[in-house]
Amino acid sequence: MKPLDEREIDELQALLDRVPAPLEPLDVSMLDGFLCGVLLQPQRIPEFRWLPHVTDADGRALPAQFDALRLHALVRRRHAELEDAIARRQWFDPWVFELEGEDDAQDEAFDEAPPEVDAVYPWVAGFATAQEFFPALMQFNAADITEPLAMLYRHLDPDDLEDAEELLAEIESLEPPEDLTEAVEALVRATLLLADVSRPASAPSKPQRPGPARRPPPRR
């Protein structure tokens, strides 16, 4: 499956932007985290269950007259690419984009983290959305999933993690990422570590640190 190039990612975002109100589609970064969250479930989620959440976070149906053929085709390609990478425990490039301007940044979960790290928030929010609708991953033994989940959820507002004392304690023990590149690498590392729990291969993997990471491009 040919990976989507930057032109096709922009096309996908434009198609998502055309989804009519009151539906609330994911943006491409949230979509990427959402797909990873779906693919990490212990049982494969049928497409008819997860696909509606792409064009509306709550899964409401598209209007009958809306042509989603191209949009769905691009989403399926990214789903297949991520599925292959996760199954083979290969590093992939998350769709995370540098924010332009401070007004676009989310509030920092940790004052020590540089503001640029806020760019990973949409990806993590998409991942969390998948867990809301497909919670089987979260039902694994906390000892097995707390550390990689903390690597992801440290980018969320702690107030959104109520009744998660162990997770919050693990988050507080983590050193904040030094820059956006390190934060993006942690997304991949956490994804593959969670895959070892929920979708184990014949032998658990130990993801290797990749070579020089490609710095995410800016996105308006």
Side-chain angles (χ1 to χ4, degrees):
M1 182 68 68
K2 180 182 178 183
L4 275 67
D5 58 29
E6 291 188 17
R7 179 188 60 80
E8 290 171 317
I9 296 172
D10 288 340
E11 179 187 3
L12 176 55
Q13 182 62 65
L15 292 170
L16 291 167
D17 289 340
R18 293 175 192 165
V19 173
L23 301 185
E24 298 180 356
L26 307 179
D27 66 23
V28 290
S29 188
M30 286 188 68
L31 166 63
D32 207 52
F34 175 81
L35 291 177
C36 285
V38 167
L39 287 164
L40 289 176
Q41 299 304 313
Q43 301 295 327
R44 185 179 181 87
I45 305 297
E47 182 182 285
F48 76 87
R49 292 186 59 200
W50 62 260
L51 191 58
H53 294 283
V54 171
T55 47
D56 181 70
D58 291 327
R60 291 173 291 183
L62 286 165
Q65 69 273 19
F66 185 85
D67 183 3
L69 187 63
R70 175 62 174 169
L71 188 160
H72 286 166
L74 293 172
V75 170
R76 289 186 180 103
R77 278 176 56 192
R78 181 57 172 173
H79 180 275
E81 180 187 356
L82 290 170
E83 183 174 37
D84 179 67
I86 290 171
R88 295 190 296 116
R89 305 300 193 265
Q90 296 294 308
W91 286 83
F92 58 90
D93 286 327
W95 287 354
V96 172
F97 308 95
E98 292 178 343
L99 299 172
E100 292 190 345
E102 294 181 0
D103 292 341
D104 294 329
Q106 300 290 328
D107 290 337
E108 296 174 28
F110 297 93
D111 292 339
E112 297 88 348
E116 66 182 49
V117 170
D118 290 336
V120 306
Y121 173 85
W123 196 99
V124 176
F127 180 92
T129 298
Q131 306 318 307
E132 177 182 352
F133 292 101
F134 310 110
L137 172 64
M138 308 300 283
Q139 295 170 4
F140 278 90
N141 189 314
D144 295 327
I145 64 173
T146 295
E147 181 179 357
L149 278 179
M151 295 165 64
L152 301 177
Y153 283 6
R154 63 181 168 179
H155 300 290
L156 301 180
D157 189 328
D159 291 339
D160 295 333
L161 302 175
E162 296 179 358
D163 302 322
E165 290 82 4
E166 290 185 18
L167 180 57
L168 287 168
E170 182 67 28
I171 289 172
E172 290 178 0
S173 73
L174 297 177
E175 290 291 330
E178 294 185 358
D179 54 30
L180 181 55
T181 298
E182 183 177 315
V184 169
E185 289 178 359
L187 300 184
V188 182
R189 186 159 55 251
T191 298
L192 300 184
L193 289 171
L194 287 169
D196 280 341
V197 178
S198 64
R199 307 295 294 270
S202 56
S205 64
K206 289 188 177 296
Q208 300 297 313
R209 186 178 179 87
R214 178 171 61 85
R215 190 171 181 81
R219 176 172 291 273
R220 288 190 170 87

